[in-house]
Amino acid sequence: MDTALEVRGLSKAFGRNRAIDDLDLVIPRGATYGLIGPSGAGKTTAIRMIMSILFPDSGSMTVLGKPSALDAKDRIGYLPEERGVYRTMTVRAFLSYIGRLKMGERSRVDARATQLLTRLGLADAVNKKCEDLSKGMLQRVQFVAAIVHEPELLILDEPFSGLDPLSVRVLKEIVADEQRRGATIIFSTHVMGHAEELCEQIVMIHKGRKVLDEPMSGLRRQYDTRTIRLEPLDVTTDLMALKSVPGVERVQLTDEGCDIGLAASADPAMAIRNIAGTVAPARIELARVRLEDVFIRIVGGGSGSEESRQALRTHLQGLSGAGVAS
Amino acid sequence: MMQRVWMVAARDFSVTIGNKGFLFGILLMPLLICIFVFVGPRILNGRSPVVEGQVAVMDATGSLVSELRLDLAPAAIAARRARDAGPRNPLQRDGPPIPSLAMVEKPSTEDPQVAKNWLLQAPDAPERHLAVIAIHPDAVKRAEGRSEFGSYDLYIASRLDENTENVIHDAMRQGLVNARLKDKGIDPAAVEASMHVVRPVSVTVGVGGERETRRGFSRMLPFLCGILLFMGVLTSGQMLMTSTIEEKSSRVVEVLLAAVSPLELMWGKLLGRLGVGLLILAVYVGLGMFALLEYSLAGLVDPLLLVYFVIFYLLASLVYGGLMMSIGAAVNQVADAQSLMGPVMILLVAPYVLVPMIGQNPNSTLSVAMTFVPPVNSFVVLARLASSTPPPLWQVLGAIATGVVGAGVAVWFAAKVFKIGLLMQGKPPSFGTLVKWARMA
């Protein structure tokens, strides 16, 4: 297998805190990997070590066939979580400078920057100073800076935080284009929906250790919740009556209706027919496994209480608008 | 690697010199020098008003009034001034204006208090009363049994300027000496002529030719070199520190580190700012040379001194720039840097204190010893080179060698701290922590 990134036994401690503990990771060329984990899990530290911005205490890695990212920086695009620009430089000058630092040819870099900025609705901002742009505009400029030199490996740390839905959509399209071009993509994100939508493989880091490294398709199978979601036609119906339906183990009320847990031996098709016969449904479906559920199961697994899991769920849902340091 | 270093250096250089604040700052000092050199002499002396007024004399000797009247005349004042000035100082074009003094005789028996009251006038009085001179009875002929002559008392109006007071003292001295000589039957003019020896301006003879000796400038040159070096090093060092802090606090540093290694970034910034410092010095030295040309003094500066100046500027800048940049990398805002600046400021102030001492005694034991102690040796050896007795070549080469070692150690330290500090956030570290970082990186 031709690998874009291979990490073996990577560890890093800050004082007594082990930020990354014995991390192994292999990412094939052309793949799109999602790096997820709660705040402070060590995602950004791992990325910084991959980028050779931080240096590991132990372990080894190969980045695009080189022993260090220092030898392959020209071929890597990186959008750090903590965004930064030279405030007094114009957008054109900033992108040209970053592109040329990546050994891009000036004319090629400038042409691609113009094309990407136009696509992101920033054609008019080319000659403006960075300090005159809004936060969202700056974020898009920084995204362009990460890909302006057509990298082979693209590492995006919370790329969509702080962006409006329209910009998120355009960015996703550009990321998809980069993938089609053959770039390997590593996403670090808190927003499970983005990871679920864009990534083929999910790697989860928790307390500095890798706790999950699975393809999305495998995750769905592995974490099949055997849950049926029901929205009743009559909202006043007593849904707890469904507990008496054969094969139903539990009923959990939700805002829209309820989630119905099935026994391991129950046939989902039969259960749906029986449930629909008991309560007239406006909508009934077999619940799709969401990455959020997997995340909560792993991260919340140790904490025990349902309240803490619910708090984590609420937290994750609230992250769609803002980046949080990991 | 070098291509990236040059790109970082070129950006830092062009952004800095294109900054309005920098342009203002770099032009301000030459402007002040221009004012000092060209305009200063013209505006400081030329427009002072001529003092006019009366000087009352109470002559108890009875023989000095006519002599004094001659000595207070403007022509006599001008002649004394020309005689005392010696070789002409090219930087001093005009002396203060010659006052116009009218002498008024008063009886020597007048009550001194009444005489003093003569000086108390209304501010708008038509004729200014400037001074009262009370000459002692034994000022021309010694009193019986005394070895010394008597003198005089001088009372002056409250607003009399120092120049006019000096003119009165000089006239009194001249008048008393002449009167005493005449009393002994000696011709004052003959004595004056005998006493006067014209002091020529010495000519320094060197391999490159002959030139007039200018001791004043030679004395100033080591100090000027020290000041210039100090300004260049401090300016570029501070710019390095603040730009590093800005890059860190604006988070752009992580974007840069995705494109260049910490070492490439550090060297790029260091070289860019060295270029800025050299530009500043080129402007200042160029203006200095222009000023020397204006006074036909350009030959006083050895061209080799300029070469040494560049060498020692680069060595000093690497040390101080490296240290200040590492401080910039370690903190998140300028205010945090102050606590770490202490040791660096001591290293900067030490040569500032040493240079005047070394300029006076360029070959003292202290001067020779400090020639080999980096980083102050850049300042020390430059001051010695600029003095009239420069050090032997082996000492200069030794200073360069130790300077290179010092710069190497400073840059090594800076690189280690830079690598760790750039991404550090939160509480600013102590200097001890910086040393720890350097050891662990």
Side-chain angles (χ1 to χ4, degrees), chain A residues 48 51 53 55 70 73-74 78 80 82-86 89 97-98 100-103, chain B residues 3-4 7-8 11 247 250-252 254-262 419 423 425:
Chain A
R48 283 176 173 171
M51 286 300 299
I53 291 172
F55 295 89
L70 289 174
K73 285 204 170 183
D74 308 345
Y78 176 45
E82 292 177 341
R83 322 276 195 248
V85 291
Y86 282 114
M89 279 179 109
Y97 177 59
I98 297 293
R100 283 184 297 117
L101 276 182
K102 299 272 193 179
M103 296 296 121
Chain B
Q3 199 176 344
R4 288 201 195 93
M7 266 193 269
V8 174
R11 195 209 81 88
E247 282 173 356
S250 71
R251 314 286 190 190
V252 77
E254 195 166 354
V255 177
L256 294 175
L257 289 178
V260 297
S261 69
K419 194 169 148 186
L423 293 173
Q425 301 290 338

mmCIF file of all heavy atoms in Angstrom, chain A residues 48 51 53 55 70 73-74 78 80 82-86 89 97-98 100-103, chain B residues 3-4 7-8 11 247 250-252 254-262 419 423 425:
data_model
loop_
_atom_site.group_PDB
_atom_site.id
_atom_site.type_symbol
_atom_site.label_atom_id
_atom_site.label_comp_id
_atom_site.label_asym_id
_atom_site.label_seq_id
_atom_site.Cartn_x
_atom_site.Cartn_y
_atom_site.Cartn_z
ATOM 1 N N ARG A 48 0.506 18.803 14.896
ATOM 2 C CA ARG A 48 1.726 19.625 14.919
ATOM 3 C C ARG A 48 2.975 18.748 14.849
ATOM 4 O O ARG A 48 3.985 19.146 14.264
ATOM 5 C CB ARG A 48 1.759 20.483 16.182
ATOM 6 C CG ARG A 48 0.831 21.688 16.092
ATOM 7 C CD ARG A 48 0.803 22.465 17.374
ATOM 8 N NE ARG A 48 0.039 23.698 17.228
ATOM 9 C CZ ARG A 48 -0.294 24.490 18.240
ATOM 10 N NH1 ARG A 48 0.074 24.193 19.472
ATOM 11 N NH2 ARG A 48 -0.976 25.595 18.033
ATOM 12 N N MET A 51 3.375 17.652 11.349
ATOM 13 C CA MET A 51 3.892 18.770 10.547
ATOM 14 C C MET A 51 5.326 19.161 10.936
ATOM 15 O O MET A 51 5.886 20.102 10.376
ATOM 16 C CB MET A 51 3.004 20.012 10.740
ATOM 17 C CG MET A 51 1.669 19.943 10.040
ATOM 18 S SD MET A 51 1.836 19.750 8.261
ATOM 19 C CE MET A 51 2.727 21.216 7.792
ATOM 20 N N ILE A 53 6.140 20.736 13.476
ATOM 21 C CA ILE A 53 6.128 22.035 14.159
ATOM 22 C C ILE A 53 6.489 21.783 15.620
ATOM 23 O O ILE A 53 7.216 22.541 16.235
ATOM 24 C CB ILE A 53 4.743 22.698 14.023
ATOM 25 C CG1 ILE A 53 4.516 23.109 12.564
ATOM 26 C CG2 ILE A 53 4.614 23.899 14.951
ATOM 27 C CD1 ILE A 53 3.127 23.585 12.269
ATOM 28 N N PHE A 55 8.086 18.562 18.086
ATOM 29 C CA PHE A 55 8.895 17.368 17.861
ATOM 30 C C PHE A 55 8.594 16.338 18.949
ATOM 31 O O PHE A 55 8.525 16.684 20.131
ATOM 32 C CB PHE A 55 10.371 17.741 17.828
ATOM 33 C CG PHE A 55 10.676 18.634 16.658
ATOM 34 C CD1 PHE A 55 10.568 20.014 16.775
ATOM 35 C CD2 PHE A 55 10.992 18.098 15.431
ATOM 36 C CE1 PHE A 55 10.797 20.839 15.685
ATOM 37 C CE2 PHE A 55 11.219 18.923 14.334
ATOM 38 C CZ PHE A 55 11.122 20.292 14.461
ATOM 39 N N LEU A 70 9.544 18.126 7.561
ATOM 40 C CA LEU A 70 10.458 19.205 7.172
ATOM 41 C C LEU A 70 10.983 18.993 5.756
ATOM 42 O O LEU A 70 11.270 19.941 5.037
ATOM 43 C CB LEU A 70 11.642 19.271 8.149
ATOM 44 C CG LEU A 70 11.335 19.775 9.557
ATOM 45 C CD1 LEU A 70 12.569 19.646 10.437
ATOM 46 C CD2 LEU A 70 10.861 21.213 9.527
ATOM 47 N N LYS A 73 7.620 19.696 3.265
ATOM 48 C CA LYS A 73 6.676 20.787 3.565
ATOM 49 C C LYS A 73 6.075 21.404 2.308
ATOM 50 O O LYS A 73 4.952 21.887 2.329
ATOM 51 C CB LYS A 73 7.374 21.871 4.395
ATOM 52 C CG LYS A 73 7.552 21.435 5.829
ATOM 53 C CD LYS A 73 7.677 22.591 6.794
ATOM 54 C CE LYS A 73 7.592 22.047 8.208
ATOM 55 N NZ LYS A 73 7.625 23.043 9.246
ATOM 56 N N ASP A 74 6.852 21.391 1.250
ATOM 57 C CA ASP A 74 6.336 21.979 0.001
ATOM 58 C C ASP A 74 5.134 21.202 -0.520
ATOM 59 O O ASP A 74 4.353 21.731 -1.309
ATOM 60 C CB ASP A 74 7.414 21.941 -1.088
ATOM 61 C CG ASP A 74 8.705 22.546 -0.632
ATOM 62 O OD1 ASP A 74 8.687 23.235 0.399
ATOM 63 O OD2 ASP A 74 9.730 22.326 -1.298
ATOM 64 N N TYR A 78 -1.498 22.958 5.083
ATOM 65 C CA TYR A 78 -1.898 22.883 6.495
ATOM 66 C C TYR A 78 -2.721 24.105 6.864
ATOM 67 O O TYR A 78 -2.277 25.242 6.698
ATOM 68 C CB TYR A 78 -0.631 22.798 7.353
ATOM 69 C CG TYR A 78 -0.870 22.813 8.845
ATOM 70 C CD1 TYR A 78 -1.875 22.036 9.435
ATOM 71 C CD2 TYR A 78 -0.067 23.591 9.674
ATOM 72 C CE1 TYR A 78 -2.073 22.055 10.805
ATOM 73 C CE2 TYR A 78 -0.254 23.607 11.046
ATOM 74 C CZ TYR A 78 -1.260 22.837 11.610
ATOM 75 O OH TYR A 78 -1.459 22.852 12.957
ATOM 76 N N PRO A 80 -4.005 25.506 10.148
ATOM 77 C CA PRO A 80 -3.978 25.299 11.601
ATOM 78 C C PRO A 80 -5.282 25.730 12.256
ATOM 79 O O PRO A 80 -6.034 26.534 11.691
ATOM 80 C CB PRO A 80 -2.812 26.151 12.073
ATOM 81 C CG PRO A 80 -2.528 27.105 10.990
ATOM 82 C CD PRO A 80 -3.119 26.593 9.731
ATOM 83 N N GLU A 82 -5.458 27.483 14.952
ATOM 84 C CA GLU A 82 -5.313 28.898 15.312
ATOM 85 C C GLU A 82 -4.910 29.655 14.069
ATOM 86 O O GLU A 82 -3.764 29.597 13.636
ATOM 87 C CB GLU A 82 -4.269 29.034 16.420
ATOM 88 C CG GLU A 82 -4.749 28.428 17.717
ATOM 89 C CD GLU A 82 -3.707 28.495 18.806
ATOM 90 O OE1 GLU A 82 -2.524 28.671 18.489
ATOM 91 O OE2 GLU A 82 -4.099 28.365 19.971
ATOM 92 N N ARG A 83 -5.874 30.335 13.485
ATOM 93 C CA ARG A 83 -5.646 31.002 12.210
ATOM 94 C C ARG A 83 -4.795 32.256 12.407
ATOM 95 O O ARG A 83 -4.886 32.928 13.418
ATOM 96 C CB ARG A 83 -6.964 31.417 11.573
ATOM 97 C CG ARG A 83 -8.074 30.427 11.745
ATOM 98 C CD ARG A 83 -8.025 29.339 10.682
ATOM 99 N NE ARG A 83 -9.285 28.624 10.652
ATOM 100 C CZ ARG A 83 -9.439 27.363 11.028
ATOM 101 N NH1 ARG A 83 -8.411 26.666 11.450
ATOM 102 N NH2 ARG A 83 -10.621 26.783 10.967
ATOM 103 N N GLY A 84 -4.010 32.581 11.400
ATOM 104 C CA GLY A 84 -3.207 33.795 11.486
ATOM 105 C C GLY A 84 -2.816 34.298 10.115
ATOM 106 O O GLY A 84 -2.599 33.500 9.189
ATOM 107 N N VAL A 85 -2.751 35.592 9.986
ATOM 108 C CA VAL A 85 -2.304 36.224 8.737
ATOM 109 C C VAL A 85 -1.411 37.407 9.112
ATOM 110 O O VAL A 85 -1.397 37.832 10.257
ATOM 111 C CB VAL A 85 -3.493 36.763 7.903
ATOM 112 C CG1 VAL A 85 -4.330 35.643 7.345
ATOM 113 C CG2 VAL A 85 -4.327 37.737 8.709
ATOM 114 N N TYR A 86 -0.692 37.907 8.121
ATOM 115 C CA TYR A 86 -0.019 39.189 8.297
ATOM 116 C C TYR A 86 -1.063 40.255 8.040
ATOM 117 O O TYR A 86 -1.498 40.440 6.908
ATOM 118 C CB TYR A 86 1.142 39.325 7.325
ATOM 119 C CG TYR A 86 2.361 38.561 7.741
ATOM 120 C CD1 TYR A 86 2.823 37.489 6.998
ATOM 121 C CD2 TYR A 86 3.053 38.900 8.882
ATOM 122 C CE1 TYR A 86 3.949 36.782 7.374
ATOM 123 C CE2 TYR A 86 4.183 38.205 9.278
ATOM 124 C CZ TYR A 86 4.625 37.148 8.520
ATOM 125 O OH TYR A 86 5.738 36.461 8.917
ATOM 126 N N MET A 89 -0.585 42.945 5.274
ATOM 127 C CA MET A 89 -0.353 42.516 3.880
ATOM 128 C C MET A 89 -1.674 42.440 3.137
ATOM 129 O O MET A 89 -2.715 42.162 3.737
ATOM 130 C CB MET A 89 0.301 41.135 3.848
ATOM 131 C CG MET A 89 1.782 41.119 4.076
ATOM 132 S SD MET A 89 2.407 39.427 4.043
ATOM 133 C CE MET A 89 3.306 39.432 2.509
ATOM 134 N N TYR A 97 3.033 35.051 -1.027
ATOM 135 C CA TYR A 97 4.173 34.789 -0.136
ATOM 136 C C TYR A 97 4.133 33.352 0.401
ATOM 137 O O TYR A 97 5.136 32.625 0.332
ATOM 138 C CB TYR A 97 4.149 35.801 1.005
ATOM 139 C CG TYR A 97 5.215 35.610 2.053
ATOM 140 C CD1 TYR A 97 6.563 35.636 1.727
ATOM 141 C CD2 TYR A 97 4.868 35.413 3.392
ATOM 142 C CE1 TYR A 97 7.532 35.465 2.692
ATOM 143 C CE2 TYR A 97 5.840 35.255 4.365
ATOM 144 C CZ TYR A 97 7.172 35.274 4.014
ATOM 145 O OH TYR A 97 8.135 35.104 4.973
ATOM 146 N N ILE A 98 2.979 32.957 0.900
ATOM 147 C CA ILE A 98 2.865 31.600 1.463
ATOM 148 C C ILE A 98 3.075 30.561 0.359
ATOM 149 O O ILE A 98 3.781 29.566 0.549
ATOM 150 C CB ILE A 98 1.481 31.404 2.133
ATOM 151 C CG1 ILE A 98 1.321 32.364 3.320
ATOM 152 C CG2 ILE A 98 1.283 29.956 2.569
ATOM 153 C CD1 ILE A 98 2.243 32.100 4.490
ATOM 154 N N ARG A 100 4.797 30.864 -2.388
ATOM 155 C CA ARG A 100 6.198 30.811 -2.809
ATOM 156 C C ARG A 100 7.087 30.194 -1.737
ATOM 157 O O ARG A 100 8.092 29.561 -2.038
ATOM 158 C CB ARG A 100 6.690 32.204 -3.197
ATOM 159 C CG ARG A 100 6.169 32.598 -4.582
ATOM 160 C CD ARG A 100 6.714 33.920 -5.060
ATOM 161 N NE ARG A 100 6.301 35.007 -4.189
ATOM 162 C CZ ARG A 100 7.128 35.761 -3.490
ATOM 163 N NH1 ARG A 100 8.423 35.557 -3.551
ATOM 164 N NH2 ARG A 100 6.682 36.735 -2.731
ATOM 165 N N LEU A 101 6.705 30.396 -0.450
ATOM 166 C CA LEU A 101 7.456 29.700 0.610
ATOM 167 C C LEU A 101 7.348 28.188 0.443
ATOM 168 O O LEU A 101 8.237 27.440 0.842
ATOM 169 C CB LEU A 101 6.904 30.080 1.990
ATOM 170 C CG LEU A 101 7.417 31.360 2.640
ATOM 171 C CD1 LEU A 101 6.786 31.535 4.011
ATOM 172 C CD2 LEU A 101 8.927 31.387 2.760
ATOM 173 N N LYS A 102 6.228 27.776 -0.162
ATOM 174 C CA LYS A 102 6.042 26.338 -0.427
ATOM 175 C C LYS A 102 6.645 25.959 -1.768
ATOM 176 O O LYS A 102 6.295 24.944 -2.358
ATOM 177 C CB LYS A 102 4.547 26.012 -0.440
ATOM 178 C CG LYS A 102 3.822 26.287 0.862
ATOM 179 C CD LYS A 102 3.884 25.095 1.759
ATOM 180 C CE LYS A 102 2.901 25.236 2.916
ATOM 181 N NZ LYS A 102 2.935 24.065 3.780
ATOM 182 N N MET A 103 7.487 26.827 -2.253
ATOM 183 C CA MET A 103 8.219 26.601 -3.496
ATOM 184 C C MET A 103 7.318 26.553 -4.720
ATOM 185 O O MET A 103 7.647 25.932 -5.723
ATOM 186 C CB MET A 103 9.049 25.300 -3.406
ATOM 187 C CG MET A 103 10.125 25.351 -2.352
ATOM 188 S SD MET A 103 11.365 26.591 -2.731
ATOM 189 C CE MET A 103 11.255 27.643 -1.315
ATOM 190 N N GLN B 3 16.788 29.273 -0.016
ATOM 191 C CA GLN B 3 15.815 30.053 -0.785
ATOM 192 C C GLN B 3 14.693 30.548 0.135
ATOM 193 O O GLN B 3 14.263 31.697 0.045
ATOM 194 C CB GLN B 3 15.243 29.179 -1.895
ATOM 195 C CG GLN B 3 14.608 29.992 -2.992
ATOM 196 C CD GLN B 3 14.141 29.120 -4.138
ATOM 197 O OE1 GLN B 3 14.534 27.967 -4.254
ATOM 198 N NE2 GLN B 3 13.286 29.679 -4.981
ATOM 199 N N ARG B 4 14.242 29.665 1.028
ATOM 200 C CA ARG B 4 13.176 30.056 1.970
ATOM 201 C C ARG B 4 13.688 31.114 2.941
ATOM 202 O O ARG B 4 12.976 32.057 3.280
ATOM 203 C CB ARG B 4 12.688 28.834 2.743
ATOM 204 C CG ARG B 4 11.862 27.888 1.917
ATOM 205 C CD ARG B 4 11.007 27.025 2.848
ATOM 206 N NE ARG B 4 10.488 25.888 2.127
ATOM 207 C CZ ARG B 4 11.082 24.697 2.075
ATOM 208 N NH1 ARG B 4 12.203 24.496 2.721
ATOM 209 N NH2 ARG B 4 10.554 23.714 1.394
ATOM 210 N N MET B 7 13.669 34.317 1.276
ATOM 211 C CA MET B 7 12.300 34.826 1.073
ATOM 212 C C MET B 7 11.773 35.464 2.361
ATOM 213 O O MET B 7 11.169 36.534 2.339
ATOM 214 C CB MET B 7 11.374 33.689 0.628
ATOM 215 C CG MET B 7 11.254 33.589 -0.880
ATOM 216 S SD MET B 7 9.904 32.533 -1.369
ATOM 217 C CE MET B 7 10.739 30.988 -1.483
ATOM 218 N N VAL B 8 12.009 34.790 3.481
ATOM 219 C CA VAL B 8 11.571 35.353 4.773
ATOM 220 C C VAL B 8 12.316 36.664 5.033
ATOM 221 O O VAL B 8 11.719 37.671 5.439
ATOM 222 C CB VAL B 8 11.827 34.347 5.922
ATOM 223 C CG1 VAL B 8 11.521 34.968 7.274
ATOM 224 C CG2 VAL B 8 10.987 33.087 5.730
ATOM 225 N N ARG B 11 10.999 39.476 2.810
ATOM 226 C CA ARG B 11 9.697 39.989 3.246
ATOM 227 C C ARG B 11 9.863 40.889 4.468
ATOM 228 O O ARG B 11 9.327 41.991 4.527
ATOM 229 C CB ARG B 11 8.745 38.841 3.595
ATOM 230 C CG ARG B 11 7.295 39.288 3.699
ATOM 231 C CD ARG B 11 6.505 38.436 4.656
ATOM 232 N NE ARG B 11 6.732 38.844 6.035
ATOM 233 C CZ ARG B 11 6.042 39.776 6.677
ATOM 234 N NH1 ARG B 11 5.059 40.387 6.094
ATOM 235 N NH2 ARG B 11 6.331 40.115 7.919
ATOM 236 N N GLU B 247 4.030 38.238 15.270
ATOM 237 C CA GLU B 247 3.743 37.022 14.502
ATOM 238 C C GLU B 247 3.192 35.934 15.401
ATOM 239 O O GLU B 247 2.316 35.169 15.010
ATOM 240 C CB GLU B 247 5.015 36.537 13.799
ATOM 241 C CG GLU B 247 5.333 37.342 12.564
ATOM 242 C CD GLU B 247 6.669 37.002 11.956
ATOM 243 O OE1 GLU B 247 7.401 36.188 12.532
ATOM 244 O OE2 GLU B 247 6.982 37.566 10.895
ATOM 245 N N SER B 250 -0.425 37.090 16.577
ATOM 246 C CA SER B 250 -1.424 37.066 15.501
ATOM 247 C C SER B 250 -1.603 35.654 14.948
ATOM 248 O O SER B 250 -2.351 35.454 14.003
ATOM 249 C CB SER B 250 -1.016 38.009 14.372
ATOM 250 O OG SER B 250 0.084 37.470 13.674
ATOM 251 N N ARG B 251 -0.910 34.691 15.504
ATOM 252 C CA ARG B 251 -1.035 33.267 15.159
ATOM 253 C C ARG B 251 -0.532 32.938 13.762
ATOM 254 O O ARG B 251 -0.739 31.823 13.297
ATOM 255 C CB ARG B 251 -2.491 32.790 15.262
ATOM 256 C CG ARG B 251 -3.213 33.217 16.515
ATOM 257 C CD ARG B 251 -2.761 32.459 17.709
ATOM 258 N NE ARG B 251 -3.624 32.711 18.856
ATOM 259 C CZ ARG B 251 -3.350 32.331 20.081
ATOM 260 N NH1 ARG B 251 -2.246 31.673 20.321
ATOM 261 N NH2 ARG B 251 -4.157 32.588 21.078
ATOM 262 N N VAL B 252 0.087 33.892 13.101
ATOM 263 C CA VAL B 252 0.545 33.602 11.751
ATOM 264 C C VAL B 252 1.754 32.675 11.793
ATOM 265 O O VAL B 252 2.102 32.039 10.809
ATOM 266 C CB VAL B 252 0.870 34.909 10.986
ATOM 267 C CG1 VAL B 252 2.190 35.502 11.392
ATOM 268 C CG2 VAL B 252 0.835 34.671 9.485
ATOM 269 N N GLU B 254 2.195 29.808 13.081
ATOM 270 C CA GLU B 254 1.951 28.387 12.797
ATOM 271 C C GLU B 254 1.778 28.166 11.294
ATOM 272 O O GLU B 254 2.164 27.126 10.766
ATOM 273 C CB GLU B 254 0.725 27.886 13.569
ATOM 274 C CG GLU B 254 0.676 26.371 13.596
ATOM 275 C CD GLU B 254 -0.299 25.803 14.601
ATOM 276 O OE1 GLU B 254 -0.871 26.570 15.376
ATOM 277 O OE2 GLU B 254 -0.488 24.575 14.584
ATOM 278 N N VAL B 255 1.198 29.162 10.632
ATOM 279 C CA VAL B 255 1.077 29.086 9.165
ATOM 280 C C VAL B 255 2.475 29.074 8.548
ATOM 281 O O VAL B 255 2.765 28.304 7.632
ATOM 282 C CB VAL B 255 0.256 30.287 8.630
ATOM 283 C CG1 VAL B 255 0.182 30.268 7.117
ATOM 284 C CG2 VAL B 255 -1.141 30.282 9.218
ATOM 285 N N LEU B 256 3.351 29.917 9.096
ATOM 286 C CA LEU B 256 4.714 29.987 8.571
ATOM 287 C C LEU B 256 5.462 28.684 8.837
ATOM 288 O O LEU B 256 6.199 28.191 7.987
ATOM 289 C CB LEU B 256 5.473 31.150 9.218
ATOM 290 C CG LEU B 256 4.953 32.545 8.894
ATOM 291 C CD1 LEU B 256 5.706 33.588 9.693
ATOM 292 C CD2 LEU B 256 5.092 32.832 7.407
ATOM 293 N N LEU B 257 5.254 28.141 10.046
ATOM 294 C CA LEU B 257 5.975 26.916 10.398
ATOM 295 C C LEU B 257 5.496 25.717 9.586
ATOM 296 O O LEU B 257 6.150 24.683 9.564
ATOM 297 C CB LEU B 257 5.826 26.626 11.897
ATOM 298 C CG LEU B 257 6.590 27.589 12.813
ATOM 299 C CD1 LEU B 257 6.347 27.252 14.274
ATOM 300 C CD2 LEU B 257 8.082 27.554 12.508
ATOM 301 N N ALA B 258 4.349 25.863 8.953
ATOM 302 C CA ALA B 258 3.901 24.806 8.047
ATOM 303 C C ALA B 258 4.658 24.877 6.730
ATOM 304 O O ALA B 258 4.635 23.928 5.950
ATOM 305 C CB ALA B 258 2.403 24.942 7.796
ATOM 306 N N ALA B 259 5.324 26.002 6.501
ATOM 307 C CA ALA B 259 6.031 26.184 5.235
ATOM 308 C C ALA B 259 7.550 26.179 5.410
ATOM 309 O O ALA B 259 8.279 25.807 4.501
ATOM 310 C CB ALA B 259 5.598 27.491 4.579
ATOM 311 N N VAL B 260 8.009 26.611 6.566
ATOM 312 C CA VAL B 260 9.459 26.675 6.804
ATOM 313 C C VAL B 260 9.766 26.078 8.175
ATOM 314 O O VAL B 260 8.888 26.017 9.037
ATOM 315 C CB VAL B 260 9.977 28.140 6.781
ATOM 316 C CG1 VAL B 260 9.767 28.774 5.432
ATOM 317 C CG2 VAL B 260 9.282 28.975 7.851
ATOM 318 N N SER B 261 10.997 25.652 8.343
ATOM 319 C CA SER B 261 11.379 25.113 9.653
ATOM 320 C C SER B 261 11.630 26.283 10.610
ATOM 321 O O SER B 261 11.869 27.410 10.166
ATOM 322 C CB SER B 261 12.636 24.266 9.520
ATOM 323 O OG SER B 261 13.728 25.106 9.222
ATOM 324 N N PRO B 262 11.596 26.036 11.931
ATOM 325 C CA PRO B 262 11.874 27.117 12.878
ATOM 326 C C PRO B 262 13.227 27.780 12.617
ATOM 327 O O PRO B 262 13.368 28.999 12.724
ATOM 328 C CB PRO B 262 11.852 26.417 14.241
ATOM 329 C CG PRO B 262 11.012 25.213 14.044
ATOM 330 C CD PRO B 262 11.229 24.787 12.627
ATOM 331 N N LYS B 419 12.549 27.616 18.807
ATOM 332 C CA LYS B 419 11.868 26.373 18.398
ATOM 333 C C LYS B 419 10.781 25.995 19.403
ATOM 334 O O LYS B 419 9.680 25.606 19.019
ATOM 335 C CB LYS B 419 12.929 25.266 18.334
ATOM 336 C CG LYS B 419 12.512 24.008 17.631
ATOM 337 C CD LYS B 419 13.763 23.163 17.419
ATOM 338 C CE LYS B 419 13.449 21.699 17.457
ATOM 339 N NZ LYS B 419 14.656 20.871 17.393
ATOM 340 N N LEU B 423 5.374 28.318 19.904
ATOM 341 C CA LEU B 423 3.999 27.829 20.042
ATOM 342 C C LEU B 423 3.540 27.790 21.492
ATOM 343 O O LEU B 423 2.463 27.308 21.797
ATOM 344 C CB LEU B 423 3.874 26.434 19.419
ATOM 345 C CG LEU B 423 4.039 26.421 17.895
ATOM 346 C CD1 LEU B 423 4.083 25.010 17.372
ATOM 347 C CD2 LEU B 423 2.925 27.192 17.223
ATOM 348 N N GLN B 425 2.038 29.222 24.797
ATOM 349 C CA GLN B 425 1.093 30.262 25.184
ATOM 350 C C GLN B 425 1.034 30.312 26.710
ATOM 351 O O GLN B 425 1.587 29.464 27.379
ATOM 352 C CB GLN B 425 -0.309 29.952 24.624
ATOM 353 C CG GLN B 425 -0.356 29.843 23.110
ATOM 354 C CD GLN B 425 -0.167 31.179 22.406
ATOM 355 O OE1 GLN B 425 -0.392 32.231 22.980
ATOM 356 N NE2 GLN B 425 0.281 31.138 21.151
#
